[in-house]
Amino acid sequence: MRLINNHGTLGCACPVVSQTHQGGPDVTTYTSLMGKFLAILHGGADPDKDQLTDEQQSEFMTAWATWAQAHEEALLDPGSPLYRKKRVTSTYVEDFEDSKIAYALVDAPSHDAAAQMFKDHPHVGLHDGNSIEVIECPVIPS
C-alpha cells in the first residue's frame, strides 16, 4: 500500500510501535519511515574529447530507462538535466558552471539504501570521473 508519509512524500505504510503508559506496545499508529534523498549527478567527461556517438547516447538512454523502471517505486522525481546556472548572493547574481549535470529525487528507508540505489545507475560508468552525490533531505520541523 502506498500513502503520503510523514515526510510529505509517497512512501510505504510501515508500522511504528509506540509505548502505552503501562509500557505495553500500541501498534495502532502507522506511518512511513521513508525519507527523501536528492541525487546530484556530476559529469567527469571532457567536453572537447568525450562526446558520445548517437549509438552510445541511445544505449545510455536505454540503460537509464531500465534503471528507472527498476526503481520506479522509489523515484519521486526522475530528474532532468541542469542547465543555465546562476549563483545568487545578497549583493549579486552571476552565471556559473560546475560539474553538476542532472538530479533525481528518491524515497528510501535510509541514506545507505538510497545510495545503494545509485550504485548501478548507468551514469557512473559512462565516463571516468562521473559520480553521484546522494544527500538526505530531512523534514523541517513545523
Side-chain angles (χ1 to χ4, degrees), residues 16 25 27-28 41 48 50 61 75 78 87 93 115 118-119 121:
V16 174
V27 192
T28 58
L41 287 68
D48 294 328
D50 291 330
M61 292 308 294
L75 281 172
R87 180 176 293 117
V93 175
F118 288 94
K119 278 186 74 172
H121 193 287

Side-chain angles (χ1 to χ4, degrees), residues 108-120:
S110 71
H111 198 176
D112 287 337
Q116 288 298 317
M117 215 180 289
F118 288 94
K119 278 186 74 172
D120 64 343

Side-chain angles (χ1 to χ4, degrees), residues 52-73:
L52 296 177
T53 65
D54 289 343
E55 182 180 339
Q56 290 170 320
Q57 181 68 27
S58 177
E59 288 171 1
F60 173 79
M61 292 308 294
T62 299
W64 178 87
T66 299
W67 178 89
Q69 187 173 27
H71 299 286
E72 70 180 323
E73 288 292 317

